[in-house]
Amino acid sequence: MSGLLLDPWFYAAAIPAVILVGLSKGGFGGAVGFVGVPLMALTMPPVQAAAILLPILCLMDIVSVWTWWGVYDRKMLVDMMPGAVIGIGLGWLTAALVTEEAVRLIVGAVAIIFVLRWLYLQFRHGSDHAAEPNRVAAAIWGTVAGFTSFVAHVGGPPFQVYALPIRLDPKVLSGTAAIFFAATNALKLIPYFALGQFDTANLTASAVLMPLAPLSTIAGAWLVRRMRPEIFYPFTYATVAVVALKLLWDGIAGLL
């Protein structure tokens, strides 16, 4: 582990990864936080990267919830959280059976379809079209988000598949996402610990990177508060599309 902490390539990958995840946690760019694990995985095994990142995510969640305190959609949380708990449980049960590559491929395909559907609706109904909340859809996508978040830290795209079409105010959406992922990441600590991922080496690496967490999260929230909906939503959908293509690429490459 001392070799990892003395390796400049570790910091070259991990520092940008933590900053990007923090910006995403603050609400800026939504799914761009996905790049955290792949970036860190350039210098270490993906599972170790995910384990190192999880405590940092939890700290970011605390900062994000504090930053957006009182700004959230209660109905969306009530509808999605039971599914997320089920998804985390399924991820724990199948952790040894489901490969990260398969999860990335599935999530990437779903996200691409989601973005194409949004483009179609923009063409047909205009930029102001908003979907109605749906309890069944919320439960399904909450379950998918919980499962993919546990297996590969890729809960953002499934969450956004349900949440973005409703077109909440960007600040409300960011606050709702902050609470949703704070709860799911806190729940993930239990199975990750049970699977032996939190050894001294990984926790030491987490502690070294921790100071970047609050600063980058607050910066993300600062940016969101200054973005108009007509900019925020196209930008967020664009980041989902980029992430989806990366997921598809990684999933296909890993399965070949």
Side-chain angles (χ1 to χ4, degrees):
M1 185 63 202
S2 59
L4 180 63
L5 290 179
L6 295 175
D7 183 1
W9 290 111
F10 165 72
Y11 296 100
I15 290 175
V18 173
I19 291 174
L20 286 171
V21 172
L23 290 173
S24 177
K25 282 290 182 184
F28 181 72
V32 296
F34 156 76
V35 301
V37 172
L39 266 179
M40 292 178 65
L42 294 174
T43 59
M44 68 189 73
V47 174
Q48 184 182 17
I52 290 172
L53 195 56
L54 183 54
I56 300 172
L57 289 175
C58 290
L59 176 59
M60 290 176 174
D61 287 330
I62 294 172
V63 176
S64 185
V65 169
W66 172 77
T67 302
W68 296 107
W69 186 257
V71 184
Y72 63 93
D73 187 280
R74 182 179 180 276
K75 176 174 173 52
M76 185 174 291
L77 290 173
V78 170
D79 290 345
M80 295 192 76
M81 276 309 306
V85 174
I86 294 171
I88 291 170
L90 291 173
W92 187 0
L93 289 173
T94 60
L97 303 175
V98 181
T99 66
E100 288 189 14
E101 289 77 13
V103 172
R104 293 183 194 281
L105 183 61
I106 294 169
V107 174
V110 170
I112 282 292
I113 293 171
F114 162 62
V115 173
L116 293 175
R117 176 179 176 273
W118 175 74
L119 290 172
Y120 167 75
L121 291 175
Q122 298 306 293
F123 177 77
R124 183 172 180 178
H125 299 291
S127 59
D128 294 330
H129 177 73
E132 292 294 326
N134 184 297
R135 182 166 294 178
V136 174
I140 292 172
W141 289 112
T143 301
V144 176
F147 178 80
T148 57
S149 178
F150 179 86
V151 175
H153 285 346
V154 193
F159 174 84
Q160 290 173 327
V161 166
Y162 175 73
L164 284 180
I166 297 175
R167 291 190 62 84
L168 299 173
D169 179 275
K171 295 183 286 294
V172 175
L173 178 61
S174 296
T176 305
I179 296 174
F180 179 84
F181 286 108
T184 56
N185 284 330
L187 288 171
K188 283 158 54 179
L189 289 171
I190 299 171
Y192 263 74
F193 180 81
L195 292 170
Q197 293 297 325
F198 292 142
D199 56 18
T200 302
N202 287 344
L203 290 177
T204 301
S206 298
V208 170
L209 297 169
M210 280 284 185
L212 294 170
L215 296 176
S216 55
T217 305
I218 291 171
W222 184 87
L223 289 168
V224 170
R225 291 184 189 276
R226 285 155 180 80
M227 290 182 74
R228 299 189 303 275
E230 57 268 26
I231 298 175
F232 175 85
Y233 277 97
F235 176 81
T236 304
Y237 276 99
T239 64
V240 174
V242 172
V243 169
L245 292 173
K246 181 65 166 63
L247 285 167
L248 286 172
W249 177 269
D250 289 348
I252 293 171
L255 292 174
L256 290 179

